[in-house]
Every structure is written in structure tokens, then in C-alpha cells.
Amino acid sequence: MGDLDRLFENNVRWAESIKERDPHFFETLARQQVPKYLWIGCSDARVPANEIVGLLPGELFVHRNVANVVLHTDLNCLSVIQYAVDVLKVRHILVSGHYGCGGVRASMQDAQLGLIDGWLRSIRDLCYEHRSHLAGLADEEARVDQLCELNVIQQVANVCHTSIVQNAWHRGQPLSVHGCIYGLKDGRWKNLGVTVGSLEQIPEQYRLRPPGP
């Protein structure tokens, strides 16, 4: 049996087990997608978004990329945010990193990896900005994990600086952006305490006026 055949067989068993527990599960799922949450997380296969927070498919809208980066030039990520905020009307954006992130670790090293080097540049800049603090930590793992947290905090800011999120606030739409991090070693998901829910919480330099006529 080939690797792909095994996956198709796994899918059949999974679908049948779901229908045994709830015969109408897929019918209900196909009719609606009304998530309250947008998850912006890392592509790492060890971080299954729905399972971590105990939500079913359809309850969590998900975007993933290497090292959970939000760039103002990334039309893919911005399109996901725009659809989630303007169309799905999510109430919470969860920027979720994870400890031991390979992308964050790579941004702290000098090896060339290819196209990904450009993608990780913003984290490398963040590492340089906090170099004195990071240098004072005990070892490499502590420095990586601290930068993982700093990266999440920065990406929360990047989300809040988008016109998409700010226009939602201008409309009075309830929307909060949260920074969280997941521990691969213990399975615990931690709130980093950087929730932003209004325009007044971001620096004036990044505040945009409502779109005019």
C-alpha cells in the first residue's frame, strides 16, 4: 500500500467514526460556517489548531504560515483576515505561536535556507532589536522561546495596524486581537496578555482615520 492510499483509508475510518457519533455532523457542517475565531498560527504539523482549543471544524477559521508572521505585503494573510472580519464577522483573532518554533530558531542563526530567509527577515530584525535582553538569558532554548513570545506580540501589533481591523473598530464591530503561545512539551496554550480591542490601545502613529467619502 502506498503512503497516499493509507491516508485515504484513514479518512474513510475517520469519517465513519464521526458519523457513528453524530449521524448528521457532516450535513450540519456543510450548511454553515459561523466561526467566532480566526486562528493565525504556525504551519508546524505538531500544532493542530482545532484540537488545541477543543473546537470542531467550522468553529475556528484558520490561517497558517511559517512562524505565524503577519506582513503588510502578504496578500494571502490579509485576504484571510479581511474575509474573517468583514464577511464571517469573527469576534476574536488569535495570533498563536509555539515554543521551540523552527522558523524563529532559524532567524537567530546565520545559515542560508533559501526563500524562507526573506520570509523570516522580520523576526531576524526583532531578534536584533532585543539582542541585549536575549543575550542575558541562560541558554539557546530560553532565547528561542523568549523570541517566540516576542514574535507573537509583534504579530498582534501587525494585525492591529491593518486597515481591516481598524475599520471594524470604526464601525463599532466587536473585535479583539489576542496573543497566545502553545507548548509542545506540555500541550498547554498560554495567554500572553496582549489583547487589543480598540483603536485607543495602539500607538497614534499606526492609527488610521475612518475612510472618507
Side-chain angles (χ1 to χ4, degrees):
M1 180 190 303
D3 291 339
L4 196 58
D5 292 331
R6 180 170 60 87
L7 297 184
F8 282 121
E9 288 196 0
N10 288 347
N11 169 255
V12 170
R13 286 192 294 270
W14 172 78
E16 289 177 348
S17 68
I18 293 291
K19 286 192 290 186
E20 285 178 9
R21 294 199 299 269
D22 182 356
H24 303 292
F25 177 83
F26 291 110
E27 294 175 19
T28 302
L29 190 65
R31 285 197 299 267
Q32 62 181 2
Q33 177 181 229
V34 287
K36 294 181 180 178
Y37 309 94
L38 165 61
W39 174 286
I40 300 176
C42 184
S43 299
D44 194 306
R46 299 169 295 176
V47 188
N50 283 78
E51 293 181 32
I52 287 172
V53 293
L55 294 178
L56 294 172
E59 295 182 311
L60 191 69
F61 198 55
V62 177
H63 174 76
R64 300 172 70 169
N65 61 54
V66 176
N68 44 272
V69 172
V70 178
L71 299 177
H72 69 279
T73 54
D74 180 8
L75 296 183
N76 182 9
C77 184
L78 293 179
S79 295
V80 170
I81 295 173
Q82 189 270 325
Y83 184 76
V85 171
D86 293 350
V87 180
L88 296 177
K89 306 294 185 186
V90 299
R91 299 176 70 94
H92 303 276
I93 298 176
L94 311 171
V95 180
S96 190
H98 67 95
Y99 291 120
C101 178
V104 171
R105 188 185 301 275
S107 73
M108 303 176 75
Q109 300 172 347
D110 59 3
Q112 288 194 41
L113 299 176
L115 188 61
I116 191 67
D117 296 328
W119 179 258
L120 297 175
R121 173 61 185 271
S122 65
I123 308 179
R124 188 177 296 276
D125 292 340
L126 193 64
C127 181
Y128 182 74
E129 179 183 347
H130 293 276
R131 61 192 181 280
S132 297
H133 170 63
L134 294 171
L137 299 180
D139 53 34
E140 180 183 350
E141 291 308 308
R143 289 189 286 273
V144 170
D145 286 349
Q146 179 66 83
L147 188 56
C148 287
E149 292 188 357
L150 292 170
N151 180 48
V152 168
I153 294 168
Q154 181 61 56
Q155 306 316 320
V156 167
N158 290 349
V159 172
C160 294
H161 296 167
T162 65
S163 60
I164 302 163
V165 168
Q166 293 191 30
N167 283 338
W169 288 333
H170 285 311
R171 294 191 298 268
Q173 183 175 332
L175 179 65
S176 296
V177 185
H178 312 269
C180 309
I181 195 160
Y182 175 69
L184 295 172
K185 296 179 180 179
D186 60 9
R188 301 300 294 271
W189 189 56
K190 184 172 76 173
N191 188 345
L192 290 177
V194 289
T195 293
V196 182
S198 70
L199 199 64
E200 291 70 30
Q201 289 180 263
I202 64 176
E204 289 187 15
Q205 173 67 22
Y206 296 102
R207 297 181 197 172
L208 303 173
R209 289 182 295 174

